[in-house]
């Protein structure tokens, strides 16, 4: 299908029949639920699952500390990694690894991160879920230019303005930093599982696919007082699908492999799906656990793939996945699930009690939205013995005061759709510097998202609470503070938020990264 035809058809893709009629070669579960994307099949031989031990990203040490501030340095650099056994994968990395190193911060204590760009192209860093001043939020044209001097303002402007994705630079003045940019995070926010990733306009999907993503964890006193699993039983899991060329390199359907024109080729503009599931950069890894409780920090870092996670076998009585946190930190009380749906950029902190299994049990983490190689994620092998477990999941985790929607000063509507104009919000392709909303700091607002297709919607600066889906009750995983909400076809989701602390320009966008790169973003300005 040509780009224009595909976008027009996308507006009507609300069910399996429409998907089939439109010619989309989608996975069966994706077709049944109107999920986006097209699989890019690997040319490299795929390894057998559950052979690679689960890697845990290293924790980055600060370069310096003071009474109020921890400072870190990260170099963005090319690296060759062994992801598939026996093959080398050229990656774009934070600090030479994929995922990048994990930064651990304390609520109320400032973190400063200096990023140096030794890649061959500009970059932007966004702390996803951070309550962050605008200057450090990672606006998509606030670029770090490569240290090798190959880019100037004219070339950057030309590259960003040359694609058929619908976005326009117009006369927007870019914020360019030579080689290095410093990001300041006050962390006046709750403990939460955050992550950082590239956010360059028009090129986010390619950059994240190539490896520019890492965890940033925030702790606070409230969380520390709880008897939850800690140390090596508190494990961040970055789940991401990828596709590999015959030589082991990352395979991505660039519209222009030279990176002078943003976007992907026509068949993949609705999202790129890989056929290899990586967890912390390893294909279908295995992790040996004791018969104890573990806290797993689940992050969907895929460009477009959604997952429905389930343990196999289920423990006696089910309810294996005890959710204790969401995007914005702890829930008020735990919620037990047999399955968890997680869209791109969403995070769920869950506790699994492996003592409910017999010693020697091999427990797979399945993806019920997948087929073939994408139907399973990783495996946990339960060790023998019955060690004493001094952890528990309290009935009360935190206080999450509900925002009162009756106090909302305004209700705003944002319609996410595909059309001849591209992937748009309110019928408008993204243009930097054009704000679709101007909320006042301290003001509570209701934002209503509607769609004619599937979009995970992400809001920068402030977290929100989900009020309703299609004027009905919220979903079982909509509780707590969120920064990304999974918006399904022909659905209206209402959220309530209060804008606080920082004036400036922020982003609202779809976190299907191919949709984002093809103009499904909008500015809003707090004042």
């Amino acid at each position: 299908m040509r780009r224009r035809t595909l976008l027009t058809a996308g507006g009507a893709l609300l069910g399996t029949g429409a998907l089939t009629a439109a010619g989309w070669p989608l996975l069966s579960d994706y077709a049944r639920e109107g999920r986006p994307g097209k699989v890019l099949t690997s040319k490299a031989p795929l390894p057998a699952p559950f052979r690679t031990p689960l890697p845990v990203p290293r924790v980055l040490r600060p370069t310096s500390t003071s009474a109020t501030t921890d400072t870190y340095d990260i170099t963005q650099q090319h690296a060759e990694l062994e992801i598939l056994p026996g093959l080398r994968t050229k990656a774009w990395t934070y600090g030479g690894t994929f995922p990048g190193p994990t930064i651990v911060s304390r609520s109320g204590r400032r973190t400063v991160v200096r990023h140096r760009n030794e890649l061959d192209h500009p970059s932007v860093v966004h702390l996803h879920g951070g309550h962050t001043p605008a200057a450090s939020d990672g606006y998509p044209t606030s670029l770090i230019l490569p240290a090798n001097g190959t880019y100037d303002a004219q070339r950057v402007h030309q590259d960003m303005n040359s694609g058929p994705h619908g976005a326009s630079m117009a006369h927007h003045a870019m914020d360019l930093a030579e080689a290095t940019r410093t990001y300041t995070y006050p962390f006046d926010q709750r403990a939460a599982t955050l992550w950082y990733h590239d956010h360059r306009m028009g090129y986010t999907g390619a950059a994240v696919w190539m490896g520019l993503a890492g965890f940033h964890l925030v702790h606070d006193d409230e969380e520390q007082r709880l008897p939850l699993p800690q140390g090596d039983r508190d494990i961040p899991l970055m789940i991401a699908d990828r596709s590999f060329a015959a030589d082991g390199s990352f395979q991505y359907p660039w519209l222009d492999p030279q990176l002078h024109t943003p976007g992907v080729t026509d068949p993949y503009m609705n999202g790129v799906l890989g056929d290899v599931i990586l967890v912390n950069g390893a294909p279908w890894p295995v992790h040996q656990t004791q018969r104890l409780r573990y806290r797993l920090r689940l992050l969907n870092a895929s460009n477009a793939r959604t997952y429905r996670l389930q343990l196999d076998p289920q423990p006696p009585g089910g309810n294996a996945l005890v959710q204790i946190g969401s995007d914005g930190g702890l829930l008020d009380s735990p919620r037990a699930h047999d399955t968890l749906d997680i869209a791109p950029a969403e995070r769920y902190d869950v506790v699994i009690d492996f003592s409910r299994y017999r010693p020697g049990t091999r427990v797979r983490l399945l993806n019920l939205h997948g087929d073939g190689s994408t139907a399973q994620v990783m495996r946990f092998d339960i060790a023998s013995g019955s060690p004493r477990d001094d952890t528990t999941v309290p009935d009360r985790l935190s206080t999450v005061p509900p925002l009162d929607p009756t106090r909302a000063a305004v209700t705003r509507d944002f319609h996410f759709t595909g059309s001849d104009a591209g992937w748009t919000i309110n019928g408008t392709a993204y243009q930097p510097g054009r704000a679709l909303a101007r909320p006042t700091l301290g003001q509570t607002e209701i934002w209503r998202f509607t769609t004619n297709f599937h979009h995970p919607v992400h809001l920068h600066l402030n977290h929100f609470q989900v009020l309703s889906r299609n004027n009905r009750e919220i979903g079982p995983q909509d509780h707590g503070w969120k920064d990304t909400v999974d918006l399904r076809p022909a659905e209206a989701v209402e959220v309530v938020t209060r804008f606080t602390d920082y004036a400036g320009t922020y982003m609202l966008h779809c976190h299907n990264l191919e949709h984002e790169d093809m103009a499904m973003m909008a500015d809003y300005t707090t004042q």
Side-chain angles (χ1 to χ4, degrees):
M1 300 179 70
R2 300 298 299 164
R3 186 175 303 270
R4 179 176 295 269
T5 306
L6 186 148
L7 278 167
T8 306
L13 298 185
L14 301 180
T16 306
L19 287 163
T20 304
W24 287 76
L26 299 179
L27 299 176
S28 60
D29 276 354
Y30 267 59
R32 281 196 296 272
E33 302 201 9
R35 304 284 170 173
K38 174 179 169 60
V39 175
L40 181 60
T41 303
S42 291
K43 297 177 182 177
L46 303 186
F50 318 135
R51 301 290 178 87
T52 304
L54 173 73
V56 177
R58 68 185 175 94
V59 175
L60 190 64
R61 289 183 171 273
T63 306
S64 64
T65 62
S66 71
T68 61
T69 304
D70 299 314
T71 300
Y72 297 84
D73 284 279
I74 293 179
T75 299
Q76 302 172 13
Q77 61 192 82
H78 295 283
E80 287 198 2
L81 311 175
E82 185 172 341
I83 297 176
L84 301 182
L87 296 175
R88 306 298 291 178
T89 299
K90 295 179 181 179
W92 307 349
T93 71
Y94 295 119
T97 63
F98 170 62
T102 297
I103 300 176
V104 179
S105 295
R106 191 79 182 177
S107 177
R109 183 173 173 81
R110 183 186 301 111
T111 292
V112 173
V113 186
R114 292 188 295 248
H115 278 265
R116 177 174 174 81
N117 182 2
E118 294 187 358
L119 300 167
D120 296 328
H121 49 80
S123 65
V124 174
V125 182
H126 171 54
L127 178 61
H128 187 119
H131 184 59
T132 304
S136 294
D137 187 57
Y139 190 74
T141 62
S142 295
L143 305 180
I144 313 171
L145 298 181
N148 62 16
T150 56
Y151 274 80
D152 57 19
Q154 181 177 358
R155 180 177 177 185
V156 170
H157 197 283
Q158 180 180 350
D159 285 0
M160 284 186 167
N161 220 25
S162 62
H165 50 68
S168 172
M169 289 291 292
H171 302 290
H172 176 70
M174 292 175 293
D175 173 20
L176 304 181
E178 296 285 346
T180 300
R181 184 182 292 274
T182 299
Y183 297 85
T184 300
Y185 307 123
F187 282 124
D188 182 17
Q189 62 184 99
R190 311 166 74 228
T193 300
L194 313 182
W195 64 303
Y196 62 102
H197 61 80
D198 192 84
H199 207 275
R200 180 188 173 196
M201 177 177 156
Y203 297 88
T204 298
V208 172
W209 187 273
M210 293 296 292
L212 291 179
F215 281 101
H216 196 139
L217 309 182
V218 184
H219 297 304
D220 64 13
D221 292 341
E222 178 186 49
E223 176 197 53
Q224 189 171 6
R225 285 192 294 266
L226 296 174
L228 298 170
Q230 298 181 24
D232 60 4
R233 289 159 54 200
D234 180 353
I235 306 174
L237 298 179
M238 179 183 289
I239 304 172
D241 59 336
R242 294 291 185 269
S243 176
F244 294 85
D247 63 357
S249 60
F250 283 131
Q251 189 172 242
Y252 189 74
W254 323 83
L255 193 62
D256 174 13
Q258 302 303 314
L259 295 180
H260 299 313
T261 302
V264 293
T265 56
D266 286 352
Y268 295 93
M269 65 162 296
N270 193 32
V272 184
L273 307 178
D275 58 359
V276 176
I277 305 298
L278 304 178
V279 183
N280 293 347
W284 305 287
V286 60
H287 187 63
Q288 186 173 75
T289 68
Q290 301 296 313
R291 298 184 67 236
L292 297 167
R293 293 182 186 88
Y294 283 71
R295 176 178 181 168
L296 305 180
R297 299 173 182 262
L298 304 172
L299 159 65
N300 182 353
S302 296
N303 281 31
R305 183 182 292 280
T306 67
Y307 299 82
R308 177 167 292 166
L309 302 176
Q310 177 181 285
L311 294 183
D312 176 46
Q314 289 277 311
N319 287 332
L321 303 169
V322 180
Q323 183 189 356
I324 61 169
S326 190
D327 302 334
L330 292 171
L331 303 180
D332 54 359
S333 58
R335 288 172 169 79
H337 307 281
D338 287 324
T339 63
L340 272 175
D341 285 9
I342 184 167
E346 285 189 303
R347 286 93 65 212
Y348 294 115
D349 285 19
V350 300
V351 172
I352 299 176
D353 185 355
F354 288 108
S355 72
R356 299 173 67 187
Y357 291 98
R358 296 175 62 86
T361 305
R362 294 179 171 181
V363 183
R364 294 184 301 161
L365 181 61
L366 302 180
N367 170 29
L368 302 186
H369 278 163
D371 284 339
S373 64
T374 63
Q376 50 193 358
V377 177
M378 64 174 294
R379 194 178 77 194
F380 302 96
D381 288 356
I382 315 301
S384 60
S386 298
R388 180 177 177 272
D389 195 341
D390 57 358
T391 70
T392 188
V393 179
D395 292 335
R396 193 72 183 171
L397 296 168
S398 179
T399 299
V400 183
L403 294 177
D404 185 357
T406 66
R407 299 177 65 88
V410 65
T411 297
R412 304 183 191 271
D413 286 283
F414 299 91
H415 186 55
F416 292 73
T417 188
S419 70
D420 283 354
W423 294 112
T424 64
I425 301 176
N426 290 351
T428 302
Y430 179 58
Q431 181 175 318
R434 178 176 57 195
L436 291 192
R438 297 184 181 276
T440 300
L441 289 176
Q443 181 168 285
T444 298
E445 297 194 359
I446 294 173
W447 286 20
R448 183 164 48 225
F449 307 134
T450 56
T451 182
N452 62 351
F453 206 24
H454 180 274
H455 304 289
V457 177
H458 173 48
L459 181 66
H460 289 212
L461 178 60
N462 279 99
H463 290 87
F464 54 78
Q465 295 172 359
V466 182
L467 292 176
S468 67
R469 287 184 179 269
N470 286 342
N471 295 319
R472 299 187 181 93
E473 292 293 321
I474 65 176
Q477 294 146 214
D478 288 333
H479 296 275
W481 290 104
K482 300 280 292 173
D483 59 48
T484 305
V485 64
D486 193 22
L487 191 61
R488 296 183 287 261
E491 189 169 51
V493 172
E494 285 191 330
V495 305
V496 59
T497 189
R498 186 166 67 90
F499 297 94
T500 59
D501 296 329
Y502 306 121
T505 299
Y506 292 91
M507 304 295 302
L508 168 71
H509 62 84
C510 177
H511 221 284
N512 178 320
L513 297 185
E514 282 68 50
H515 293 187
E516 174 184 338
D517 284 345
M518 296 183 183
M520 189 166 265
M521 298 196 297
D523 287 357
Y524 74 90
T525 300
T526 55
Q527 52 196 359

